[in-house]
Amino acid sequence: MSDGLDRKWLFKPETGGGMKVLVIGSGGREHALTLKISKSPLVKKIYCAPGNPGISSLAQRVDIPIENISGLLDFAKKEKIDLTVVGPELPLSLGIVDQFEAEGLKIFGPSKKAAQLESSKIFSKFMMKKFGIPTARSESFSDFASAKKYIQNSHLPRVIKADGLAAGKGVLVAKTCDEALLFLQKIMVDKIFGVSGENILIEECLEGREISILALSDGENIVLLPEARDYKRALDHDQGLNTGGMGAYSPVSEATEELRQCVLKDVFHPMIRGMKKEGIPYRGVLYAGLMLTSQGPKVLEFNVRFGDPETQVILPRIKSDIVPLFLASCNGTLDKESVQIHKETAICVVLTSGGYPGAYQNGFEILGLDQASKMENIMLFHAGTSSKDGKILTHGGRVLGVTSLGKDMKQAQTLAYDTITKIHFERMHYRRDIGMK
Ligand code: AMP
Ligand code: GLY
């Protein structure tokens, strides 16, 4: 090989440990988590509930929905699962960690109370203010008339956020009074997000470039993971609607060691120490969505889980075995761990169903996967796929994540986009500017 990349770590070690791991979720993030966990010599068997066709080559799929906490608990007890890793926010916000721990099962993630850092934007903002963490100024409202009056007397743009979980659709950066009032009407009066929109935040609008920095914590100690940049809008050059994420890359040039240390000191330390002091210790992965403003990094949001598609570029860059890190987060021993990072650049381009994030059609056959998966330094992460009669079909808005590794951004980009030319399904859409300036 002439490009000097070390590929040995891409393959599973031959030795086998004895652990049984359960991964919860069914997206590209969970495929990336399962792949990374499968490389651990500590692990004998992986289950994934409910998983997807891509995951099924690495783990046994279990047909239990992510919100069926008692079903998942029964399964984990019956199979004597040694470690459960939760992908999405919903089971965390429903208290899966509390319920597993009450039965003596090891599970990686925050408690229901700690998960409020994502499940309630008002709680999260309250904690940020209390602990002096840099973030946008904001006011909270629980009745439509006061929120309307506040908007009518504000300088726009302002950012309106539903308090609760809204599948990434609960935020509007409002440039005009009309669109702000329409959004308020939809969430507070028409209740399009149900109880999630009963309370809202109105924030000052921050300017700058966004970056996601994730860290592991055991309630006290913190280990930073590689940073990533996510592309939220559906179309090139950040046009179109917000989505769950159309692509990502890591590392991000703005994330100098100085910036990462600043975020550790000003964001993660105060949050983890503060939560411990409040009697709500935070264990698991904490994701800080940051705006790099002229006054320094400010927090836009916290997520209490790995990002999707950020995970598809962060995990391939981690050299260390992830399983001891997850265990250390559960056991309170992260002070004894560190994370070794590969220097390579990873990019992920998400292939979506035409129409996403609006209405789209399922059931188109995905062609070219075999050929694409043979490419070196390429990982194809399944998200919205299903299988029927030996064929892989589209089954969701975000269908596949094509992740590549290269010695630099240019090499990684060329490889990812070359691979995409081999894949086809009807009405396939993707952004052509992932990783471009
Ligand atoms: P959130 O779910 O809170 O991260 O918001 C979703 C997206 O809305 C963010 O990734 C930003 O692009 C944008 N956003 C959120 N809060 C602000 C803010 N205060 N100023 C500017 N943009 C924001
Ligand atoms: N890609 C954004 C998120 O996972 O929240």
Side-chain angles (χ1 to χ4, degrees):
M1 255 162 262
S2 56
D3 55 11
L5 292 182
D6 167 20
R7 292 186 180 74
K8 286 195 290 293
W9 57 276
L10 274 170
F11 305 102
K12 184 173 164 57
E14 290 305 315
T15 50
M19 281 179 71
K20 286 181 171 184
V21 178
L22 169 64
V23 176
I24 294 174
S26 63
R29 165 183 51 209
E30 288 75 23
H31 193 174
L33 277 165
T34 307
L35 178 65
K36 183 68 183 156
I37 292 167
S38 76
K39 294 180 196 303
S40 172
L42 299 172
V43 173
K44 176 175 74 180
K45 173 140 193 171
I46 311 176
Y47 298 90
C48 188
N52 65 37
I55 291 174
S56 62
S57 62
L58 303 163
Q60 182 177 326
R61 292 179 68 183
V62 184
D63 189 17
I64 306 174
I66 60 167
E67 65 278 11
N68 180 359
I69 309 294
S70 58
L72 293 166
L73 183 58
D74 288 344
F75 175 81
K77 283 200 300 199
K78 190 173 116 257
E79 290 299 331
K80 298 194 170 57
I81 297 294
D82 299 293
L83 173 69
T84 298
V85 178
V86 187
E89 61 277 18
L90 183 63
L92 296 168
S93 73
L94 293 173
I96 189 170
V97 169
D98 312 63
Q99 291 193 41
F100 272 52
E101 285 181 345
E103 298 279 343
L105 290 168
K106 224 177 260 308
I107 180 163
F108 171 75
S111 66
K112 180 176 182 170
K113 273 191 178 167
Q116 287 177 97
L117 286 180
E118 178 166 357
S119 63
S120 167
K121 289 192 188 286
I122 294 176
F123 173 88
S124 186
K125 190 65 95 172
F126 179 80
M127 291 302 178
M128 285 188 250
K129 281 186 189 163
K130 187 162 186 178
F131 310 144
I133 295 171
T135 183
R137 283 189 298 268
S138 71
E139 297 284 334
S140 63
F141 297 89
S142 52
D143 80 289
F144 175 67
S146 330
K148 181 176 171 183
K149 195 164 157 208
Y150 182 83
I151 280 290
Q152 284 168 332
N153 293 317
S154 295
H155 285 292
L156 297 176
R158 290 273 159 169
V159 185
I160 302 174
K161 299 185 173 183
D163 177 48
L165 297 179
K169 294 182 187 137
V171 176
L172 177 77
V173 181
K175 296 195 181 75
T176 68
C177 192
D178 283 352
E179 63 172 341
L181 295 183
L182 185 65
F183 191 63
L184 285 179
Q185 166 83 28
K186 279 201 220 158
I187 57 181
M188 298 188 88
V189 181
D190 306 342
K191 298 194 194 301
I192 57 167
F193 304 128
V195 290
S196 285
E198 278 180 358
N199 301 302
I200 60 140
L201 275 180
I202 301 182
E203 286 190 9
E204 71 173 313
C205 188
L206 300 176
E207 279 179 35
R209 295 202 75 188
E210 288 182 45
I211 187 169
S212 311
I213 302 192
L214 286 75
L216 301 175
S217 180
D218 59 6
E220 191 167 340
N221 304 292
I222 302 165
V223 173
L224 282 187
L225 298 180
E227 72 286 346
R229 174 159 285 140
D230 177 28
Y231 288 71
K232 289 205 166 67
R233 301 293 199 95
L235 307 176
D236 287 3
H237 312 301
D238 292 333
Q239 302 296 306
L241 295 173
N242 263 329
T243 69
M246 296 294 294
Y249 68 88
S250 175
V252 181
S253 59
E254 290 99 319
T256 57
E257 194 47 34
E258 192 188 350
L259 180 94
R260 286 169 55 84
Q261 289 306 315
C262 160
V263 171
L264 179 62
K265 180 168 97 18
D266 296 342
V267 174
F268 286 107
H269 273 148
M271 183 51 87
I272 295 300
R273 282 190 194 134
M275 292 288 279
K276 186 179 174 205
K277 227 166 140 191
E278 295 292 317
I280 318 173
Y282 188 94
R283 284 185 218 100
V285 58
L286 185 60
Y287 165 133
L290 302 159
M291 188 72 94
L292 303 178
T293 75
S294 54
Q295 290 126 41
K298 294 191 181 183
V299 177
L300 295 171
E301 64 165 342
F302 282 108
N303 292 323
V304 298
R305 46 157 178 93
F306 280 101
D308 191 345
E310 292 91 323
T311 305
Q312 289 88 302
V313 293
I314 290 174
L315 292 184
R317 291 196 59 229
I318 296 181
K319 200 187 286 186
S320 316
D321 185 350
I322 202 80
V323 174
L325 291 163
F326 289 162
L327 290 171
S329 163
C330 299
N331 296 340
T333 53
L334 263 183
D335 54 325
K336 298 185 180 63
E337 302 290 335
S338 62
V339 179
Q340 306 304 315
I341 311 287
H342 291 286
K343 285 199 191 73
E344 283 87 352
T345 295
I347 91 162
C348 174
V349 181
V350 176
L351 309 183
T352 71
S353 295
Y356 171 80
Y360 56 83
Q361 213 180 317
N362 283 330
F364 296 121
E365 184 177 358
I366 308 171
L367 302 169
L369 286 176
D370 276 350
Q371 209 195 341
S373 64
K374 289 193 188 105
M375 303 278 289
E376 269 192 78
N377 290 318
I378 281 286
M379 283 153 273
L380 300 181
F381 293 121
H382 287 230
T385 66
S386 65
S387 58
K388 197 177 174 198
D389 306 329
K391 292 177 179 165
I392 303 290
L393 309 178
T394 63
H395 193 78
R398 292 193 287 176
V399 175
L400 274 178
V402 178
T403 292
S404 67
L405 280 157
K407 65 177 191 300
D408 53 25
M409 174 61 88
K410 195 159 179 292
Q411 197 187 49
Q413 256 173 349
T414 307
L415 182 55
Y417 283 106
D418 279 355
T419 305
I420 290 171
T421 62
K422 302 185 192 308
I423 303 172
H424 177 74
F425 55 87
E426 222 168 290
R427 301 205 58 212
M428 177 171 114
H429 167 74
Y430 60 94
R431 279 183 62 159
R432 318 214 170 211
D433 63 343
I434 306 300
M436 314 275 176
K437 279 271 177 261

